[in-house]
């Protein structure tokens, strides 16, 4: 079981293992990352982490500061899909696989919007 990026009819398999979605907040310019894994019920978040706080991005109670990031495990059930928008007003999403990060534009056209992270069929 693996995760895919999808935009319209375009589908890109990301392979097995965890996928990290990474982006910078449009106002604070703070890095936010979420680690997702494939489950039979859909993508499930394993960890969220943020460099700092502000503009509605405060880490929740119980988050711990490790290596410059506030880290926690959100209590969300698996989702059918994770929807990402690409407004062009901020830097593009980054997709990290096995510690290697690349912009979403390396996987899908720059004008692909919205993009979903979902289980590959």
């Amino acid at each position: 079981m693996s995760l895919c990026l999808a935009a319209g009819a375009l589908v890109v398999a990301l392979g097995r293992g965890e996928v990290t979605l990474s982006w910078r907040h449009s106002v604070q310019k703070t890095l936010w990352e979420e680690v997702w894994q494939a489950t039979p019920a859909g993508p499930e978040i394993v960890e969220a982490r943020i460099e700092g706080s502000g503009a509605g991005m405060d880490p929740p109670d119980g988050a711990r500061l490790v290596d410059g990031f506030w880290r926690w495990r959100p209590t969300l059930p698996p989702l059918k899909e994770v929807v990402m928008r690409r407004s062009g007003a901020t830097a593009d999403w980054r997709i990290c696989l096995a510690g290697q990060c690349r912009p979403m534009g390396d996987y899908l056209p720059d004008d692909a919007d919205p993009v979903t992270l979902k289980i590959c069929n």
Side-chain angles (χ1 to χ4, degrees), residues 26-50:
S26 60
V27 175
Q28 293 295 124
K29 309 299 185 212
T30 301
L31 187 61
W32 185 294
E33 297 178 338
E34 292 178 349
V35 181
W36 294 84
Q37 68 182 5
T39 73
E44 182 176 25
I45 193 165
V46 175
E47 182 181 59
R49 50 189 179 245
I50 186 171

Side-chain angles (χ1 to χ4, degrees), residues 48-105:
R49 50 189 179 245
I50 186 171
E51 280 183 317
S53 61
M57 302 175 14
D58 295 319
D61 290 340
R64 59 193 199 291
L65 185 60
V66 178
D67 296 330
F69 281 83
W70 288 99
R71 299 169 182 257
W72 69 97
R73 182 175 182 129
T75 54
L76 294 174
L79 304 175
K80 179 180 174 188
E81 61 187 14
V82 177
V83 179
M84 295 166 278
R85 301 305 309 252
R86 299 170 81 195
S87 69
T90 62
D92 204 3
W93 293 83
R94 293 186 58 78
I95 309 298
C96 305
L97 306 168
Q100 300 297 315
C101 299
R102 297 170 35 199
M104 189 179 290

